[in-house]
Amino acid sequence: MSQPANILDNGRKSIARNHRQSLSCSGISAAIVGLLLLACGYAAMAADAKKEESTPVAKMRKNDLTPIPDLQKPVSAHSPYQDGDCSLCHQNKDRTNPGAIIKQVNALCLDCHDDFGKVMARKFSHAAARVNCVSCHNPHNAKQPKLLVEESGALCLSCHTAISNLVTNAKVKHDALTSDAKCMNCHNPHAANVEHLLIRLPFDLCVGCHGKDGIKDQDGKVLTNMKKLLAENPEQHGPVAGKDCSACHTPHGGNNFRLLTKEYPAQFYSPYDPKLYDLCFDCHEASVVKDPKTTTLTKFRNGDQNLHFVHVNKDERGRTCRACHEVHASKQKHQIRDAVPYGKTGYMLKVNFTQTATGGSCAQTCHLTRSYTNSVVPVAPKKTDTELPKSP
Amino acid sequence: MRRLAYLAAGGMLWSLSVLAFANVPIGAVVENVSLPTLAGVPQNLLGDTNVSIFIFLNPELSHSNQALAQIAACEKEMSGKPVHWSAVVSDRIPRSKVEAEVKAAGITMPVLIDQGDALYGKFGVVLHPVVGITDQNRKLIAYQPFAKVNYGAVIRAQILHALKEITDDELAQVLKPTAAVLGGEASVAHRFLRLAEKQFQTKNYNQALTNIQKSLGKNPTASAHSLRGQILAAQGKSPEAAAAFEAALKLEPKNSAALEGIKVAKETAK
């Protein structure tokens, strides 16, 4: 039994030698790679490469691409290798001495995978794929599906170290990174039409999971079915209407509850501290709760008395944004809530907000019924005699 | 499918078009104003150009500065086009902060100082950064709040659309990009077809036949049936080859390789 293994291992060493020679072309300077890419019809990709200055080309993985012996039970195998057709890619037919590859790596791959020409012409492409397919794939066989040289999540994180650190150290984790296709749940590793190689716009990706009933967070709390919520609540928060969940949520993990990018008060009541509102004030004007008087910052004012200030800016029982506003969508304008949770039993207290032509009112719930006026209804001027229609 | 994609894109355009300034809806004529600037000389919010773009921002906040960097790139790219650019900041923001961020982003447009938030109040700006675009009649034609993803591309497309340099469909493609889903069976089938072609060329008929069968198993196209016919013909199996060519012609009656192949296969079989 050991003899075939030795033969395989010897063959593997021989192939390794040849691979070191044949793959020396993958280590040549970026400029030469650039010229080769252009020659292969990769002009668009090369232009993209220029744009993405942060592309870690210098850090591109160098993988051991020797075939994995059958005894190690490879999970996937490349058809030409499986068929023993070495000369489709190499100089020789001899499996133990295949020689150098006959073309630059990516040009060789595209000979059969020519549909990737169209894929890589998308607006955003992955440097690893642009420069060298073998950054991630073993062209012979692999212990992973899709000829990947390493488990897919680990493979991505081996270059994307900042994300790796975030994933490891985040207090709040996102299941999307560790379940199903992992990174590829949201990203296309080759190319995409959305920034960050996202398969779709953030919202369309998020509702893939968060548009179902019964999704739970890491503490077992059932999360909102966003599709259902938005279908029932037409008044949507700007980032929701703009399909940009990432305006407020960090998808790779974070330290704030609900993966919020910045601090946001988790409670109904909170002493006013601007830091607690970092999330909201990244887009909304902080003065809206800082200035006691205004005639420009908000329509939630009684004359020039700023009612946001009145509700929020308190040393003790300040009402937080969520006391009155839904964060995603509501039935009423300005994402005003229908009801607010009261006490520990989950009893919902009706807000009973009514908008009027000159302001609005809240019926007795949190406080006695009160109304406010932010403008004067223009009174139509009385028609004079000369303007009145003449009688026939 | 194409029609469905257009409908979906149209839906997206509609959903964004309903977003607007609280006091200035899409389609309303924007009143031009002259305001003092960071550089000192008063400037108009809107120009006499085909398109005017203005951005309300707060350089004390990260979203505004991320937007500013991307808008600076747009401004540079479109420097020769008939577009009037202006930025608007509240006079509450410390001047030194505004100057530092404007310099860091590299914008060259005038930065208008909104005294007492009068312009903010007039438009009903409730968040920033937010971009407004008007046409030559000063009608508001686009309202674009900040987005973490594809923001620069969207602003660029909105301006080019306003300049009539891109069509409604091209704008829709940016606002609702085509999903970049991975591979699929048709894609795998195509690779087996390409491999079988290469193996056929090198006269490795048995492997070629195996791989073309795999291709047909995933996506039975006329090209795949036709290649199978050619492989079988090369192996001297004329009746089977003729059947494969017929299968190709059923799917694609004008497939030239199949038309040629079936003629030869039938003559050989006689």
Side-chain angles (χ1 to χ4, degrees):
Chain A
M1 284 302 286
S2 63
Q3 202 179 359
N6 283 341
I7 291 168
L8 277 170
D9 281 343
N10 288 339
R12 186 173 153 87
K13 280 171 196 164
S14 163
I15 292 167
R17 270 197 306 280
N18 283 296
H19 268 284
R20 275 193 286 277
Q21 289 159 10
S22 63
L23 289 171
S24 61
C25 68
S26 64
I28 58 178
S29 73
I32 296 173
V33 170
L35 285 173
L36 285 166
L37 292 179
L38 284 170
C40 301
Y42 267 70
M45 287 184 250
D48 247 12
K50 256 187 173 180
K51 273 187 228 163
E52 292 180 22
E53 289 178 1
S54 59
T55 301
V57 176
K59 292 180 187 169
M60 210 63 76
R61 283 176 64 107
K62 298 257 187 307
N63 301 308
D64 177 4
L65 301 176
T66 51
I68 293 162
D70 288 345
L71 283 177
Q72 289 185 26
K73 295 181 181 169
V75 167
S76 56
H78 199 196
S79 290
Y81 171 75
Q82 206 168 23
D83 295 349
D85 241 343
C86 305
S87 62
L88 283 178
C89 304
H90 291 272
Q91 285 170 338
N92 307 322
K93 278 190 173 180
D94 184 357
R95 202 174 173 122
T96 58
N97 182 26
I101 51 172
I102 56 176
K103 281 182 185 175
Q104 188 266 344
V105 179
N106 282 15
L108 191 56
C109 300
L110 285 176
D111 263 356
C112 288
H113 298 256
D114 55 349
D115 50 331
F116 266 75
K118 207 173 162 189
V119 169
M120 295 302 286
R122 288 173 186 154
K123 204 168 166 51
F124 305 97
S125 59
H126 192 191
R130 278 198 308 269
V131 174
N132 214 329
C133 304
V134 296
S135 302
C136 302
H137 300 282
N138 184 325
H140 303 108
N141 58 5
K143 288 181 187 172
Q144 300 295 330
K146 307 269 182 196
L147 296 172
L148 291 177
V149 294
E150 201 177 343
E151 183 278 318
S152 70
L155 180 60
C156 301
L157 296 179
S158 70
C159 288
H160 297 274
T161 48
I163 303 288
S164 176
N165 290 338
L166 181 61
V167 172
T168 310
N169 301 320
K171 280 185 209 161
V172 185
K173 314 273 186 196
H174 191 192
D175 268 359
L177 276 79
T178 49
S179 60
D180 302 327
K182 298 180 178 171
C183 306
M184 288 181 288
N185 283 324
C186 301
H187 301 277
N188 184 316
H190 302 115
N193 295 312
V194 180
E195 278 178 347
H196 312 298
L197 298 175
L198 290 173
I199 294 169
R200 296 182 172 84
L201 287 173
F203 174 86
D204 296 328
L205 283 171
C206 299
V207 293
C209 292
H210 294 274
K212 295 173 187 165
D213 286 329
I215 297 282
K216 291 178 183 172
D217 72 3
Q218 62 186 26
D219 300 323
K221 187 168 191 276
V222 176
L223 300 174
T224 307
N225 177 338
M226 294 307 299
K227 256 187 189 170
K228 200 188 275 179
L229 178 89
L230 297 181
E232 292 166 358
N233 294 279
E235 292 296 327
Q236 296 171 8
H237 192 196
V240 178
K243 299 204 163 203
D244 188 28
C245 307
S246 51
C248 303
H249 300 279
T250 173
H252 296 122
N255 291 332
N256 297 313
F257 80 106
R258 292 281 174 274
L259 292 171
L260 294 172
T261 53
K262 293 192 172 175
E263 278 211 61
Y264 177 73
Q267 308 301 323
F268 184 92
Y269 290 116
S270 177
Y272 175 66
D273 177 355
K275 271 187 198 166
L276 281 178
Y277 296 87
D278 267 358
L279 182 76
C280 307
F281 294 160
D282 226 2
C283 290
H284 293 277
E285 182 53 63
S287 306
V288 86
V289 292
K290 275 188 198 163
D291 296 357
K293 292 197 182 295
T294 182
T295 54
T296 54
L297 292 170
T298 178
K299 284 189 171 177
F300 187 43
R301 57 188 165 78
N302 193 23
D304 65 357
Q305 185 190 25
N306 182 352
L307 297 176
H308 276 115
F309 174 88
V310 170
H311 282 78
V312 182
N313 202 328
K314 291 180 183 296
D315 290 338
E316 286 180 8
R317 285 160 61 90
R319 281 77 178 169
T320 59
C321 304
R322 60 166 45 202
C324 302
H325 297 280
E326 290 285 0
V327 286
H328 294 110
S330 72
K331 290 188 174 62
Q332 297 212 64
K333 283 197 170 180
H334 315 297
Q335 289 87 57
I336 301 287
R337 302 178 74 129
D338 278 345
V340 296
Y342 184 78
K344 289 179 182 171
T345 56
Y347 175 70
M348 298 300 280
L349 197 60
K350 282 277 182 193
V351 171
N352 292 330
F353 169 74
T354 309
Q355 190 163 2
T356 65
T358 57
S361 69
C362 287
Q364 182 174 358
T365 43
C366 301
H367 47 64
L368 295 174
T369 299
R370 284 184 185 158
S371 59
Y372 63 93
T373 306
N374 56 32
S375 59
V376 178
V377 176
V379 180
K382 279 185 181 175
K383 289 184 176 176
T384 61
D385 288 348
T386 51
E387 287 173 319
L388 291 170
K390 286 175 185 168
S391 51
Chain B
M1 281 305 287
R2 201 180 159 92
R3 191 172 291 173
L4 275 174
Y6 284 146
L7 282 172
M12 180 70 182
L13 277 173
W14 177 83
S15 76
L16 283 180
S17 71
V18 296
L19 288 177
F21 296 102
N23 301 337
V24 183
I26 295 290
V29 173
V30 176
E31 187 192 339
N32 204 359
V33 290
S34 178
L35 294 176
T37 61
L38 208 56
V41 187
Q43 294 273 355
N44 284 345
L45 177 72
L46 310 175
D48 295 324
T49 44
N50 295 7
V51 170
S52 292
I53 170 165
F54 48 94
I55 169 171
F56 286 90
L57 56 101
N58 180 345
E60 290 188 309
L61 301 173
S62 62
H63 284 180
S64 280
N65 295 328
Q66 287 165 31
L68 203 55
Q70 296 192 52
I71 282 171
C74 286
E75 186 192 20
K76 201 173 172 185
E77 260 176 59
M78 299 192 181
S79 59
K81 296 187 188 293
V83 179
H84 177 272
W85 300 77
S86 57
V88 183
V89 295
S90 167
D91 66 346
R92 282 176 289 103
I93 318 293
R95 194 184 178 91
S96 57
K97 181 68 184 168
V98 179
E99 282 170 342
E101 292 301 337
V102 161
K103 193 178 171 191
I107 58 163
T108 58
M109 67 186 80
V111 179
L112 280 54
I113 312 291
D114 185 20
Q115 290 169 315
D117 294 317
L119 201 58
Y120 263 79
K122 196 180 236 177
F123 275 83
V125 176
V126 292
L127 48 82
H128 34 220
V130 66
V131 165
I133 301 177
T134 56
D135 65 9
Q136 56 195 354
N137 300 316
R138 294 178 180 163
K139 201 181 277 184
L140 186 73
I141 52 174
Y143 168 91
Q144 188 62 53
F146 179 68
K148 281 264 179 75
V149 173
N150 272 16
Y151 182 68
V154 167
I155 295 290
R156 204 170 283 116
Q158 295 274 27
I159 296 170
L160 292 175
H161 185 252
L163 288 168
K164 299 186 173 41
E165 288 187 22
I166 63 169
T167 62
D168 289 352
D169 288 347
E170 286 168 319
L171 174 63
Q173 178 57 35
V174 177
L175 297 178
K176 172 91 177 156
T178 309
V181 286
L182 279 168
E185 292 292 85
S187 183
V188 177
H190 179 77
R191 285 171 218 158
F192 277 120
L193 169 69
R194 297 285 291 134
L195 176 59
E197 276 172 2
K198 284 186 176 298
Q199 290 170 329
F200 175 63
Q201 283 160 13
T202 56
K203 297 187 168 45
N204 184 355
Y205 299 135
N206 289 338
Q207 291 293 0
L209 197 60
T210 305
N211 285 315
I212 202 63
Q213 294 287 24
K214 287 181 186 171
S215 177
L216 283 163
K218 291 181 181 296
N219 190 21
T221 61
S223 305
H225 279 297
S226 182
L227 179 59
R228 183 169 173 268
Q230 290 176 61
I231 298 164
L232 290 166
Q235 287 179 321
K237 298 172 183 170
S238 297
E240 292 100 317
F245 289 129
E246 272 170 13
L249 290 169
K250 259 189 188 173
L251 294 170
E252 198 182 306
K254 288 181 182 172
N255 186 297
S256 55
L259 284 169
E260 179 63 25
I262 200 163
K263 204 163 44 175
V264 176
K266 280 182 178 172
E267 277 173 16
T268 313
K270 278 178 189 172

